[in-house]
Amino acid sequence: MDKWILIDGNSIANRAFYAMPPLTNSAGLHTNAVYGFTTMLLKLLEEEKPTHLLVAFDAGKVTFRHEGFSDYKGTRAKTPPELSEQFPIMKELLKAFGIAQFELAGYEADDIIGTMTRLADEKGVETLVVSGDKDMLQLASSKVSIAVTRKGVSEVERFTPETVNEKYGLKPHQIIDLKGLMGDTSDNIPGIPGVGEKTALKLLHEYGSVEGVLENTGELKGKMKERVEQHRDDALMSKKLATIFREVPLEGAEGGIAYGGFDAESVSAMFAKLEFRSLTERLNLSAPGAAQGAPKAELNVVPVDPGDTEAASLLAAAFKKPNALFLESVGDNPHHADIIGAALAAEDTVYVLPKALLEGAEGQFVRDWLSDPEASKIGCDLHRTELVLARLGVHLQGAEFDIQLAAYLLDPTESDQSVSGIAQRSGLPAVASDESVYGKGAKFKVPDNATLYAHLASKADAVRAIAPLQRAELEKSGMNRLYYELEQPLAVVLADMEKQGIKVDAETIQQLGKDLEHGIESSVSEIYRHAGTEFNINSPKQLGEILFDKLGLPVMKKTKTGYSTDADVLEKLEPYHDIIPLILHYRQLAKLQSTYVEGLLKEVRSETGKIHTYYRQTIAATGRLSSQYPNLQNIPIRLEEGRKIRKAFVPSEPGWYILAADYSQIELRVLAHISGDERLKEAFIHDMDIHTKTAMDVFGVSETQVDANMRRSAKAVNFGIVYGISDFGLSQNLNITRKEAAKFIEQYFDVFKGVRKYMDDIVMQARQDGYVKTLLERRRYLPEIKASNFNLRSFAERTAMNTPIQGTAADIIKLAMVRMQERLREEGLKSRMLLQVHDELVFEVPEDELEKMKTLVPEVMEGALALDVPLKADVNYGINWYEAK
DNA sequence: CTATTCACG
DNA sequence: ACGTACGTGAATAGA
């Protein structure tokens, strides 16, 4: 079955040019429109798999339309040279792709496309028209659909006659009447002044066409009648101008637009000239220039297959030289990931270690090397590597440098943490992306050995090359201690905790699940009764229809897809209908059931009854950890019903205890330190209740006069301060007006003057340096602090205020974790550190170590870093996590 | 694959 | 006038 795609070249190039940031190659040639155009083209080729493909361009300056109306397109700004220089390139690129391009003197691209769609209609060929211009909608038919670009070029909106009708209530051919009435300023089509889309649609729904409107001006009233009558000719001419000419002499042209794939060599040569590296990769083309441009010794790759004694002895010798290790495994969760293979890069040779070697008897010498603490390793994500190797019974030791961890410190907001991404940022020769080698999702597949080995080798070699560059960068940025004394040792501590895991009593969870099930069942039937119908309560869409359409409750907030039904909204709706509290209750129970009962049970290992989370050390932009598979940093505590889940977290040995210690107000203490605010420091030096103290100072009352509401407000203000306060945010949180919130903030800053100064200074500093940093010199770059867009800039400003606070708190507990693990070892304690929850550490402790740990843990936590105010950690213990409160 | 919602600090 | 609180991860719906 044939499929045609017809592209309006001028229109798409224009869209791409204005949508993309300026982009030039090293010769100074502008390439952004070509780039946008090409990405769109590739997407179409991949997704639509056309048999015929045509790009139409406007030709010359004078088209037949000018014969009737000399001002046509008169308002259109002259094409900027940055764009016009890109048209020849685009045409050259199309040639390389083997894609037909038409331009015909006297006709516009529209007309060529219009004529081709007429041919398509006559032949009954499935056709897609791609343009940035809604005029094209007039061509829609049962065979021809229209894709109109929306913001940028990658997103398109598709139209068929049905969707044109849905959107405008018009038949495709009426689009020209719409233009006739409303005009189009971009093409200088006048239409009828004062008639916009709304009015034009109303008129067309009534009278069907421009002519219909003109015949019935008698029925119109007032100003409108006057305008229409005065501009009859304009309307008729505008309609004519908007009409796409479909009789361009193109008979038989369809043979010339057949598309038979492209020649990889010509395309990759073009991409190289344009310096489209990511596109080169996307097409899996090797860059032809790479070989001569960046002379790089051909990698000497030696596979070490089991039984190959010669290769094995070379490898054993390589262990003694400086080298870099890369272990490939598949699966997001390192506790379950399967090894694919590994590679070790030493000097100019890369040894590939197939899975069979790593696992088999012949590989014992490799495993011995991996677990030798004296044999140093440079790697990429050694934390993950350690967990993956643990399942072979190998305890990875001797981490010397990790390029992923370093990349994270050098830019914690960079999302691409792969060897390929890091290599690219380091200015090294390109390393193929994993996606291009393995595919992704359902298409994931380990390639043949030759391809696989080459890929593993290039990664290990890149790791080797990247490490010294990063070491220099860390040094330059003052992050040596942060890296070598904190993050790298922490990676080992985290792996210890994760391998240890925490014991969970599955029966306790199951019992809770049964209780929840009863509660959910009765909630559901009550809700259906109130709603008068059954529906999916989990669907915000269906719930919104029930609440706001059926029951007519007031709409408080909208999301971009419809009504908002979040807890905030529902709480405001409580007085209106008895169904609301039921829904809130249902939501609470359903969350507990799905995420915490079912979710946690799925993660319990049947052999040990333990859960092993995975802490991600290179994700959070502030320096915090995050936890996955499962997330053990968001186990319920605020509401009693959920808090019961914590009863299931128990010690793994009989007679032991769970001990938990958490920092008290660590973020506000950090703020007191870095702002130097005397009043805030004073409060912590005397270990006062900080929210009460804030209320006293802000409201100017004595301690006994602070009521619960004042304290609540003060607490919200303190939170706001830490988050980078805005009156709007505070007003939302406290459910007060923005004015009132602004007044609170003003009063706060009048009292805590040092805090105000810090907030002002840090934003200025971020503007000056382009980044902010924590006490331990952890950085976060904030390029958007200079954005002209208010939203982006404000966000960056709040981040500038928050990151040093949240990040320093993260530094502190990480320090405490490294020290804690050292102390446990030094003192020969059997107690184990199991979990970290941002400001809390959880241990399992034998009874005879309880007294020791009750003093040791807070001592280490409080002593992690000396600030101008004391740090404080509270400690509790019990037979499970719930009781350790 | 994205949007919404909600659990935690 | 702009329209948001900072940082995460997981489950579910519905294209």
Side-chain angles (χ1 to χ4, degrees):
Chain A
M1 259 260 281
D2 280 2
K3 164 128 199 197
W4 292 7
I5 293 186
L6 310 170
I7 300 174
D8 182 343
N10 289 77
S11 157
I12 296 297
N14 256 291
R15 289 288 171 138
F17 179 73
Y18 290 106
M20 305 281 302
L23 204 67
T24 53
N25 70 359
S26 42
L29 187 69
H30 287 87
T31 55
N32 64 335
V34 184
Y35 185 88
F37 188 88
T38 312
T39 50
M40 199 205 65
L41 202 58
L42 293 178
K43 202 168 158 207
L44 288 170
L45 288 175
E46 267 167 36
E47 291 176 4
E48 306 291 335
K49 308 205 188 319
T51 58
H52 292 66
L53 187 51
L54 169 70
V55 180
F57 289 102
D58 299 341
K61 288 210 162 82
V62 178
T63 69
F64 71 93
R65 285 186 176 77
H66 290 87
E67 291 162 16
F69 180 60
S70 57
D71 266 358
Y72 176 63
K73 295 204 171 173
T75 52
R76 191 164 282 186
K78 220 171 154 287
T79 309
E82 292 85 356
L83 174 55
S84 40
E85 74 181 31
Q86 299 189 51
F87 278 102
I89 311 172
M90 228 175 296
K91 292 175 182 175
E92 204 181 324
L93 190 67
L94 285 171
K95 207 182 269 172
F97 266 103
I99 294 172
Q101 37 187 319
F102 285 1
E103 52 178 274
L104 221 65
Y107 297 99
E108 296 193 2
D110 295 22
D111 305 318
I112 296 174
I113 289 176
T115 305
M116 293 306 293
T117 58
R118 180 176 57 79
L119 296 178
D121 278 329
E122 286 165 10
K123 294 177 188 298
V125 184
E126 201 67 42
T127 298
L128 178 68
V129 171
V130 184
S131 176
D133 197 339
K134 287 220 168 85
D135 280 8
M136 292 289 192
L137 298 189
Q138 63 187 277
L139 303 175
S141 71
S142 61
K143 285 291 163 193
V144 177
S145 57
I146 318 289
V148 181
T149 55
R150 263 202 314 212
K151 54 172 179 179
V153 282
S154 48
E155 258 187 71
V156 295
E157 191 172 6
R158 292 226 176 180
F159 289 93
T160 59
E162 290 73 42
T163 51
V164 170
N165 183 45
E166 272 168 38
K167 186 149 179 172
Y168 299 105
L170 299 178
K171 297 257 163 51
H173 68 80
Q174 290 177 297
I175 292 292
I176 56 179
D177 296 287
L178 181 65
K179 276 284 160 77
L181 294 173
M182 65 184 276
D184 182 343
T185 42
S186 73
D187 280 349
N188 207 25
I189 295 181
I192 296 174
V195 174
E197 185 172 310
K198 286 262 162 63
T199 318
L201 284 174
K202 212 166 73 193
L203 290 170
L204 287 178
H205 293 157
E206 190 78 12
Y207 306 109
S209 67
V210 169
E211 290 78 5
V213 174
L214 297 181
E215 278 161 24
N216 293 287
T217 50
E219 293 178 25
L220 300 175
K221 285 189 233 108
K223 259 258 166 344
M224 167 93 75
K225 179 174 177 179
E226 216 172 282
R227 281 206 208 107
V228 173
E229 284 177 341
Q230 225 167 49
H231 294 92
R232 313 179 60 93
D233 294 343
D234 284 340
L236 287 167
M237 184 191 58
S238 298
K239 175 170 173 176
K240 218 161 134 191
L241 285 173
T243 306
I244 293 175
F245 182 67
R246 307 185 68 175
E247 303 293 338
V248 180
L250 286 173
E251 298 307 326
E254 64 270 22
I257 69 168
Y259 177 67
F262 59 84
D263 172 47
E265 206 162 305
S266 352
V267 170
S268 82
M270 274 304 286
F271 281 4
K273 182 169 132 193
L274 296 166
E275 296 169 13
F276 288 171
R277 284 182 208 92
S278 63
L279 292 182
T280 302
E281 198 174 282
R282 176 161 157 194
L283 285 185
N284 218 345
L285 303 166
S286 53
Q292 84 235 2
K296 182 169 163 280
E298 195 59 22
L299 270 188
N300 182 22
V301 178
V302 178
V304 187
D305 289 306
D308 184 340
T309 51
E310 192 189 331
S313 66
L314 286 172
L315 174 59
F319 285 154
K320 301 194 173 72
K321 300 181 226 165
N323 55 51
L325 169 75
F326 185 85
L327 177 75
E328 189 84 288
S329 55
V330 43
D332 288 331
N333 184 343
H335 292 296
H336 301 136
D338 293 315
I339 293 177
I340 294 180
L344 184 118
E347 293 174 353
D348 56 354
T349 302
V350 188
Y351 300 87
V352 173
L353 321 177
K355 179 179 172 149
L357 180 78
L358 295 167
E359 292 177 344
E362 285 101 334
Q364 190 55 48
F365 75 108
V366 178
R367 296 192 292 273
D368 289 344
W369 174 77
L370 288 167
S371 52
D372 179 357
E374 300 302 318
S376 58
K377 285 101 187 167
I378 294 169
C380 179
D381 201 352
L382 291 171
H383 174 197
R384 179 186 166 96
T385 305
E386 181 177 350
L387 294 180
V388 172
L389 286 174
R391 297 217 320 292
L392 295 184
V394 175
H395 180 191
L396 179 74
Q397 293 191 88
E400 184 188 296
F401 196 79
D402 186 327
I403 65 160
Q404 185 173 87
L405 201 47
Y408 169 66
L409 292 192
L410 292 170
D411 184 355
T413 56
E414 175 56 59
S415 58
D416 187 348
Q417 309 263 11
S418 65
V419 174
S420 160
I422 300 169
Q424 193 175 30
R425 296 199 289 282
S426 307
L428 291 172
V431 173
S433 72
D434 291 329
E435 201 185 311
S436 70
V437 175
Y438 302 113
K440 68 167 174 181
K443 291 202 195 104
F444 185 96
K445 193 171 159 284
V446 178
D448 60 274
N449 279 350
T451 312
L452 174 66
Y453 290 1
H455 186 53
L456 296 181
S458 76
K459 287 217 250 184
D461 188 54
V463 170
R464 181 192 56 72
I466 290 164
L469 305 176
Q470 289 183 327
R471 287 188 196 260
E473 285 297 308
L474 289 171
E475 164 84 48
K476 203 171 92 187
S477 307
M479 291 195 284
N480 270 350
R481 295 194 61 183
L482 178 66
Y483 181 84
Y484 294 103
E485 294 178 31
L486 185 60
E487 296 291 354
Q488 193 162 284
L490 179 70
V492 177
V493 174
L494 293 176
D496 285 349
M497 294 163 64
E498 293 154 353
K499 286 193 264 185
Q500 184 61 44
I502 185 164
K503 172 100 168 175
V504 158
D505 179 23
E507 278 175 28
T508 303
I509 301 188
Q510 275 151 356
Q511 185 52 52
L512 194 65
K514 281 181 196 152
D515 299 345
L516 287 168
E517 202 181 312
H518 295 139
I520 289 172
E521 264 174 42
S522 60
S523 290
V524 167
S525 54
E526 277 289 281
I527 289 169
Y528 290 164
R529 196 169 61 73
H530 277 84
T533 175
E534 298 197 356
F535 65 102
N536 185 347
I537 313 171
N538 291 325
S539 161
K541 185 161 173 268
Q542 295 183 32
L543 179 61
E545 282 158 14
I546 297 286
L547 295 182
F548 304 109
D549 294 338
K550 186 150 191 278
L551 301 178
L553 299 178
V555 177
M556 310 297 234
K557 188 161 68 167
K558 291 206 138 210
T559 66
K560 51 179 131 170
T561 53
Y563 306 118
S564 172
T565 66
D566 66 20
D568 219 57
V569 168
L570 294 184
E571 275 159 29
K572 292 195 171 77
L573 290 176
E574 278 207 76
Y576 294 92
H577 203 287
D578 290 342
I579 198 174
I580 302 295
L582 294 168
I583 291 167
L584 284 164
H585 188 234
Y586 168 84
R587 284 246 176 103
Q588 191 197 339
L589 302 185
K591 176 86 177 180
L592 291 173
Q593 185 75 295
S594 67
T595 305
Y596 297 103
V597 171
E598 291 163 6
L600 284 179
L601 285 174
K602 270 186 243 162
E603 298 288 347
V604 180
R605 288 217 212 154
S606 50
E607 323 85 71
T608 57
K610 285 182 173 185
I611 289 182
H612 302 261
T613 189
Y614 171 51
Y615 289 104
R616 300 189 67 184
Q617 201 182 348
T618 60
I619 284 296
T622 53
R624 275 189 175 185
L625 299 176
S626 81
S627 156
Q628 275 183 322
Y629 317 128
N631 182 353
L632 293 185
Q633 291 182 319
N634 69 348
I635 302 302
I637 190 168
R638 292 174 190 169
L639 300 173
E640 177 56 28
E641 293 93 320
R643 191 173 195 159
K644 288 199 167 68
I645 288 279
R646 294 180 175 231
K647 293 187 180 189
F649 289 81
V650 296
S652 66
E653 317 241 5
W656 287 34
Y657 291 85
I658 296 290
L659 180 143
D662 65 304
Y663 280 112
S664 159
Q665 303 296 351
I666 187 166
E667 291 188 337
L668 288 172
R669 287 173 196 258
V670 165
L671 174 63
H673 175 88
I674 56 184
S675 70
D677 185 279
E678 288 304 330
R679 216 185 260 254
L680 202 54
K681 286 202 301 195
E682 198 65 14
F684 284 120
I685 287 164
H686 295 109
D687 197 22
M688 302 168 82
D689 175 327
I690 192 62
H691 303 314
T692 303
K693 171 71 168 131
T694 305
M696 288 161 59
D697 291 347
V698 168
F699 299 115
V701 297
S702 72
E703 184 164 357
T704 50
Q705 289 170 298
V706 175
D707 62 27
N709 206 29
M710 290 159 83
R711 187 176 181 283
R712 197 179 66 109
S713 303
K715 187 172 172 180
V717 173
N718 278 329
F719 268 99
I721 292 293
V722 169
Y723 292 157
I725 198 144
S726 73
D727 50 11
F728 187 87
L730 183 66
S731 73
Q732 287 287 300
N733 191 289
L734 282 176
N735 245 323
I736 56 178
T737 66
R738 231 165 93 168
K739 268 217 159 94
E740 291 166 318
K743 208 172 124 207
F744 273 171
I745 295 169
E746 200 42 47
Q747 283 171 323
Y748 178 94
F749 280 139
D750 278 347
V751 181
F752 296 96
K753 292 193 163 63
V755 176
R756 168 181 268 160
K757 181 159 176 7
Y758 161 74
M759 297 294 172
D760 293 345
D761 290 352
I762 194 76
V763 169
M764 269 194 351
Q765 202 187 324
R767 259 198 288 268
Q768 216 156 64
D769 302 339
Y771 61 88
V772 291
K773 54 187 191 181
T774 67
L775 274 189
L776 296 197
E777 301 286 328
R778 183 189 304 280
R779 284 187 184 193
R780 178 170 181 181
Y781 292 91
L782 299 168
E784 291 176 339
I785 198 108
K786 290 184 177 161
S788 55
N789 179 315
F790 174 88
N791 268 333
L792 290 180
R793 190 175 63 247
S794 303
F795 196 171
E797 287 169 358
R798 292 196 297 272
T799 310
M801 300 184 234
N802 169 267
T803 294
I805 302 172
Q806 192 182 117
T808 299
D811 293 347
I812 292 172
I813 193 163
K814 282 176 163 179
L815 271 176
M817 292 168 76
V818 173
R819 298 264 169 83
M820 198 65 229
Q821 202 75 328
E822 282 170 7
R823 291 293 291 275
L824 290 176
R825 190 171 44 81
E826 283 166 11
E827 312 210 4
L829 294 164
K830 297 196 287 295
S831 298
R832 303 168 186 134
M833 183 157 59
L834 304 179
L835 302 176
Q836 188 251 42
V837 193
H838 308 307
D839 67 352
E840 175 187 16
L841 296 176
V842 178
F843 300 81
E844 59 182 2
V845 176
E847 179 155 25
D848 62 357
E849 291 180 8
L850 264 181
E851 286 310 309
K852 170 80 186 173
M853 290 290 281
K854 274 162 63 180
T855 55
L856 179 63
V857 173
E859 177 194 312
V860 170
M861 289 173 74
E862 290 168 3
L865 191 65
L867 303 182
D868 293 345
V869 295
L871 288 174
K872 187 181 170 204
D874 298 313
V875 61
N876 294 97
Y877 68 94
I879 56 165
N880 56 46
W881 198 4
Y882 178 94
E883 300 296 337
K885 59 179 180 192

